[in-house]
């Protein structure tokens, strides 16, 4: 039996080198404001926000510069005071250029954005409206507009809110530092989320490789009878919604279904803090909390960074890269995106910036599939990555659809386990996007 096998987990998954030691003991720092910010209109799943400012217009920090456009969308606020320089397509951390508002920072006072609300007397409707107006999106990577999760469809019974404190991606320590430094704000945010949903039960899932965080959070909930801390086995992708639900509750989310179909709502530790800040402190989401790490960065740090700050400026603040640095990745090494242009800006959901060396990226040569089945054995969703990858390569998208390619969450477990070094998840991501296009065309016709 493994060291952590007695703890709750899910079937499949892997345990890549953690590399948390580079930044786990670095308390949060606040990076100075940049001279210019780049605000993409698409910082969330759903429709991009709609511009509300013009070139040369003066704006204040906290001011709405792009409004929600449609139900699955989110407003965007300026993170600095200054003047709109231009509106143009700009490199983006997603890998695809996005339309963005570029603002030259200047002098100015903060806008009076929101009234501070009393968490004891605030109503569920007020919480949902504040979360919506503050532009809060999920901090776990998907950047789903948070207010939507607080509005479950009629007939869906929610039993519990589960906070994701797993932080299973290697290198990243942002959530770990949140739990050590801001436990009371996390609990406040969790209670506001449960209140908005009309329930009281909350759970906080934390991997057992974070014993200090478990202790701090257990101390924080000792007078909260409806909130529990659930230690979980250290395994990737333990923090994925469906995996976290299985581990924490024993319930499985069927293919094609959502967490709310089994009575669960999942939120990230950072999202809970953002909800607290929006309701209790009246703050919109204008700051990203992130880890800067990797053996290719000179000074690993955990930072509060203004949304819109170019990635290059964050790297410079951390002393720059070493001579061995070979790749810059935004996000974690398993699901993050390699960057081709470091003028791409930090977005609301940016959780990490990694400077990785050749040793860390393991740039080995791809060979033929050896039919070992490791990718199948380790896939946490029970898919067949080899077939999905091959169908994608051959552009057999209907076959890929029949093998449930859209169920794939692109966690990268298959690629990590592949002894032939086949970029399975990259091919699956391509095929998945083509199948989604095909499905949309079918629906519209």
């Amino acid at each position: 039996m493994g060291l952590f096998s007695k703890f709750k987990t899910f079937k499949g998954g892997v345990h890549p080198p953690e590399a948390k030691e580079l930044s786990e003991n670095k308390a949060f720092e606040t990076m100075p404001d940049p001279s210019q910010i780049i605000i993409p209109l698409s910082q969330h799943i759903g429709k991009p926000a709609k511009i509300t400012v013009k070139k040369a217009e003066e704006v204040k920090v906290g001011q709405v510069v792009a409004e929600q456009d449609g139900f699955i969308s989110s407003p965007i606020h300026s993170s600095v005071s200054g003047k709109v320089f231009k509106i143009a397509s700009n490199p983006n951390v997603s890998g695809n250029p996005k339309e963005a508002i570029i603002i030259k920072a200047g002098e100015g006072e903060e806008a009076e954005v929101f009234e501070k609300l009393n968490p004891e007397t605030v109503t569920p409707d007020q919480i949902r409206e504040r979360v919506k107006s503050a532009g809060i999106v999920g901090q776990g990577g998907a950047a789903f507009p948070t207010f939507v999760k607080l509005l479950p469809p009629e007939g869906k019974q929610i039993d519990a809110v589960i906070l994701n404190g797993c932080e299973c991606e290697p290198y990243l320590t942002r959530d770990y530092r949140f739990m050590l430094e801001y436990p009371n704000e996390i609990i406040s945010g969790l209670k506001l989320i449960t209140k908005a949903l009309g329930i009281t039960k909350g759970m906080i899932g934390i991997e057992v490789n974070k014993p200090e965080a478990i202790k701090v959070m257990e101390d924080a909930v000792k007078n909260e009878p409806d909130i529990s801390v659930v230690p979980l086995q250290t395994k990737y992708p333990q923090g994925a919604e469906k995996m976290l639900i299985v581990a924490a509750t024993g319930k499985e989310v069927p293919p094609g279904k959502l967490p709310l179909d089994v009575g669960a709502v999942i939120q990230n530790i950072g999202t809970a803090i953002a909800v607290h800040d929006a309701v209790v402190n009246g703050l919109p989401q204008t700051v990203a909390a992130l880890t800067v790490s990797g053996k290719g960065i000179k000074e690993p740090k955990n930072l509060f960074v203004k949304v819109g700050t170019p990635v290059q400026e964050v790297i410079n603040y951390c002393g720059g890269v070493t001579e061995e640095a070979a790749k810059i990745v935004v996000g974690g090494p398993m699901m993050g995106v390699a960057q081709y242009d470091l003028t791409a800006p930090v977005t609301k959901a940016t959780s990490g910036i990694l400077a990785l060396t050749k040793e860390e990226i393991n740039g080995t040569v791809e060979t033929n599939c050896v039919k070992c089945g490791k990718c199948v054995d380790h896939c946490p969703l029970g898919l067949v990555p080899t077939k999905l990858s091959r169908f994608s390569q051959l552009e057999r998208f209907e076959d890929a659809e029949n093998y449930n390619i859209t169920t794939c969450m692109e966690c990268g477990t298959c690629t990590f386990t592949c002894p032939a070094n086949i970029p399975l998840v990259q091919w699956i991501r391509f095929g998945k996007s083509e199948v989604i296009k095909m499905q949309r065309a079918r629906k519209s016709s």
Side-chain angles (χ1 to χ4, degrees):
M1 292 181 66
L3 178 62
F4 299 138
S5 59
K6 66 178 180 178
F7 293 99
K8 295 179 178 180
T9 191
F10 59 95
K11 183 180 179 181
V14 292
H15 191 171
E18 295 172 16
K20 305 281 190 181
E21 70 280 356
L22 295 172
S23 59
E24 64 184 355
N25 295 318
K26 303 291 183 71
F28 274 113
E29 297 179 27
T30 299
M31 181 177 164
D33 290 358
S35 59
Q36 173 178 285
I37 60 166
I38 302 163
I39 303 288
L41 301 181
S42 182
Q43 297 190 46
H44 47 266
I45 282 181
K47 196 172 182 182
K50 186 178 180 180
I51 297 174
T52 58
V53 293
K54 298 178 181 179
K55 183 178 178 180
E57 182 176 338
E58 296 280 351
V59 298
K60 293 182 178 181
V61 61
Q63 177 181 331
V64 173
V65 293
E67 63 188 4
Q68 179 183 348
D69 190 14
F71 183 63
I72 308 296
S73 186
S74 185
I76 297 171
H77 305 74
S78 178
S79 59
V80 298
S81 294
K83 182 181 289 187
V84 177
F85 175 59
K86 66 178 178 178
I87 298 167
S89 179
N90 194 83
N92 189 273
V93 293
S94 68
N96 299 310
K98 304 281 187 183
E99 188 175 19
I101 304 167
I102 302 171
I103 300 171
K104 295 284 188 182
E107 298 296 326
E109 298 180 359
E110 292 192 15
E112 293 288 338
V113 183
F114 302 120
E115 173 191 1
K116 296 179 181 180
L117 301 175
N118 185 334
E120 301 298 326
T121 59
V122 67
T123 67
D125 283 342
Q126 287 176 316
I127 296 170
R128 287 189 287 266
E129 183 56 38
R130 176 58 56 84
V131 169
K132 179 179 178 180
S133 300
I136 297 173
V137 302
Q139 298 293 288
F144 194 83
T146 300
F147 83 93
V148 178
K149 286 189 175 184
L150 304 184
L151 283 168
E154 190 174 344
K156 297 293 184 181
Q157 176 62 44
I158 304 302
D159 302 316
V161 172
I162 306 175
L163 286 193
N164 174 16
C166 296
E167 199 163 44
C168 56
E169 276 269 15
Y171 293 92
L172 304 186
T173 56
R174 180 199 77 153
D175 292 348
Y176 174 69
R177 293 308 312 181
F178 266 149
M179 290 185 281
L180 294 190
E181 298 181 47
Y182 299 95
N184 294 331
E185 289 82 354
I186 292 170
I187 301 306
S188 171
L190 174 55
K191 291 170 72 174
L192 288 166
I193 292 167
T194 57
K195 189 172 187 178
L197 290 165
I199 63 173
T200 58
K201 185 177 180 181
M203 307 169 74
I204 306 170
I206 308 174
E207 288 186 330
V208 293
N209 63 345
K210 305 173 182 65
E212 295 85 356
I214 291 174
K215 182 180 184 305
V216 169
M217 294 311 299
E218 285 180 336
D219 288 343
V221 303
K222 62 184 177 183
N223 295 319
E224 302 288 347
D226 294 321
I227 300 176
S228 60
V229 174
V230 184
L232 302 172
Q233 186 175 332
T234 303
K235 186 166 65 169
Y236 180 86
Q238 185 70 81
E241 283 192 336
K242 293 184 179 182
M243 280 60 260
L244 182 54
I245 292 170
V246 168
T249 71
K251 297 178 181 179
E252 289 196 21
V253 181
K257 298 294 184 180
L258 298 171
L260 57 86
D261 290 308
V262 294
V265 168
I266 309 296
Q267 299 285 6
N268 181 264
I269 288 288
T271 309
I273 291 180
V275 170
H276 165 84
D277 283 341
V279 175
V280 178
N281 298 322
L283 299 175
Q285 192 170 0
T286 61
V287 174
L290 53 86
T291 298
V292 185
S293 190
K295 293 181 180 179
I297 196 78
K298 290 183 178 178
E299 300 174 31
K301 295 178 184 286
N302 292 293
L303 295 174
F304 293 123
V305 176
K306 289 293 180 72
V307 170
T309 302
V311 168
Q312 182 66 67
E313 292 197 32
V314 181
I315 291 172
N316 292 344
Y317 181 73
C318 295
V321 297
T322 66
E323 292 183 0
E324 292 77 26
K327 182 181 289 188
I328 303 295
V329 173
V330 168
M334 299 295 285
M335 293 187 72
V337 179
Q339 299 300 298
Y340 68 94
D341 190 327
L342 299 185
T343 64
V346 167
T347 63
K348 293 179 186 180
T350 299
S351 57
I353 298 172
L354 306 180
L356 304 176
T357 62
K358 288 183 179 180
E359 175 190 10
E360 290 172 296
I361 61 176
N362 188 27
T364 49
V365 178
E366 178 182 347
T367 60
N368 292 329
C369 174
V370 296
K371 304 188 187 310
C372 65
K374 285 186 176 181
C375 62
V376 179
D377 292 339
H378 289 279
C379 176
L381 294 175
L383 301 174
V384 186
T386 47
K387 281 188 176 293
L388 295 177
S389 171
R390 192 62 179 154
F391 287 149
S392 298
Q393 284 181 280
L394 297 174
E395 299 187 4
R396 290 169 55 183
F397 301 125
E398 290 186 358
D399 289 328
E401 181 181 23
N402 291 334
Y403 271 78
N404 300 313
I405 193 170
T406 56
T407 301
C408 175
M409 59 184 174
E410 304 173 26
C411 67
T413 296
C414 54
T415 300
F416 179 81
T417 60
C418 180
N421 303 303
I422 301 170
L424 295 166
V425 71
Q426 286 80 0
W427 279 114
I428 293 171
R429 185 177 291 137
F430 162 69
K432 182 179 171 181
S433 66
E434 292 300 312
V435 168
I436 290 171
K437 288 179 188 177
M438 185 175 71
Q439 291 175 336
R440 287 174 179 166
R442 187 188 303 150
K443 185 176 180 180
S444 63
S445 63

